[in-house]
C-alpha cells in the first residue's frame, strides 16, 4: 500500500529510529569509557567518595559539602549497586552515569 504513513505505520518507524538513536548514544557513551576522560575528574572523585561510603557501610558519610550534589542521597544509593557489581572503581561510577543517561533518553522519547 503506497501513500502517506498512517498512525499504525508510523509507530514501528518511530520506535526503530529511537532504538537506533539509543544504540548510537550507548556506543558513544561506552566507547573507551575507561580511558575518556583520562584520569578521574573532580566530580567523579567527590561523588566516588560518597558512593564508596554507601557501598562499604550501607549509609552516607557524615561529611558536609558546601557545593555540588554528591551529598544528596539519590546518587550514592543508586551507584552503590554498580560498585557491588563492578567493584569499587571509577569504571563503576562511569557505567552508573551511562545507565542514567540511557534512562533519560528513554523518558525523553516517551
Amino acid at each position: 500500500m503506497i501513500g502517506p504513513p498512517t498512525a499504525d505505520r508510523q509507530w514501528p518507524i518511530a520506535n526503530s529510529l529511537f532504538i537506533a538513536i539509543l544504540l548510537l548514544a550507548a556506543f558513544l557513551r561506552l566507547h573507551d569509557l575507561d580511558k575518556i576522560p583520562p584520569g578521574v575528574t573532580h566530580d567523579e572523585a567527590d561523588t566516588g567518595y560518597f558512593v564508596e561510603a554507601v557501598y562499604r557501610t550501607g549509609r552516607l558519610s557524615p561529611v558536609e559539602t558546601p557545593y555540588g550534589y554528591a551529598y544528596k542521597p539519590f546518587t550514592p544509593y543508586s551507584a552503590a549497586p554498580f560498585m557491588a557489581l563492578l567493584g569499587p572503581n571509577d569504571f563503576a561510577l562511569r557505567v552508573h552515569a551511562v545507565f542514567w543517561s540511557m534512562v533519560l533518553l528513554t523518558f525523553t522519547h516517551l
Side-chain angles (χ1 to χ4, degrees), residues 18-88:
F18 170 67
I19 290 170
I21 290 169
L22 197 62
L23 288 172
L24 177 64
F27 171 77
L28 292 173
R29 289 285 282 144
L30 291 168
H31 180 69
D32 284 338
L33 188 64
D34 56 339
K35 297 180 191 116
I36 301 172
V40 180
T41 66
H42 68 285
D43 287 332
E44 288 174 318
D46 67 358
T47 301
Y49 172 80
F50 292 101
V51 172
E52 192 169 359
V54 171
Y55 166 70
R56 295 202 186 284
T57 66
R59 59 188 174 84
L60 281 173
S61 177
V63 174
E64 293 292 324
T65 58
Y67 62 89
Y69 301 103
Y71 60 92
K72 303 291 184 188
F74 180 77
T75 301
Y77 284 103
S78 68
F82 287 89
M83 269 196 184
L85 263 119
L86 302 171

Side-chain angles (χ1 to χ4, degrees), residues 3-20:
T6 59
D8 60 330
R9 289 191 340 195
Q10 285 179 345
W11 187 83
I13 294 170
N15 283 340
S16 297
L17 287 173
F18 170 67
I19 290 170

